[in-house]
């Protein structure tokens, strides 16, 4: 496991839309490899403290105004 985000509020995108308070998210090779209420047995290379943060793994923001921001002054 490359990175472990610890003590984060995890809003899952599963069918029950569960929320894990003080949860853990593991990332391996750029992909989510672990989500749980307890720390995984595998030791990560890096630990990121997620205290006070909310993570929504699996959520993709399809609505953005990036293009309009860059073309705002174009006439």
């Amino acid at each position: 496991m490359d990175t472990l985000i610890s003590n984060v509020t995890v809003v899952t995108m599963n069918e029950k839309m569960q929320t894990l308070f003080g949860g853990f998210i593991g990332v391996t090779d750029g992909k989510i490899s672990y989500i749980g209420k307890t720390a995984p047995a595998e030791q990560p290379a890096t630990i990121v403290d997620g205290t006070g943060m909310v993570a929504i793994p699996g959520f993709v923001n399809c609505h953005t105004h990036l293009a309009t921001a860059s073309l705002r002054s174009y006439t």
Side-chain angles (χ1 to χ4, degrees), residues 5-67:
I5 304 171
S6 65
N7 201 31
V8 65
T9 299
V10 183
V11 179
T12 66
M13 298 301 289
N14 64 16
E15 51 281 342
K16 293 181 181 179
M17 296 294 287
Q18 294 172 309
T19 301
L20 308 176
F21 297 96
F24 296 85
I25 301 174
V27 179
T28 303
D29 296 328
K31 295 183 180 181
I32 296 170
S33 58
Y34 179 84
I35 296 176
K37 293 182 180 181
T38 59
E42 182 182 353
Q43 289 294 336
T46 305
I47 298 175
V48 177
D49 182 16
T51 302
M53 304 286 187
V54 175
I56 308 175
F59 179 75
V60 178
N61 180 6
C62 295
H63 181 92
T64 182
H65 293 268
L66 186 59

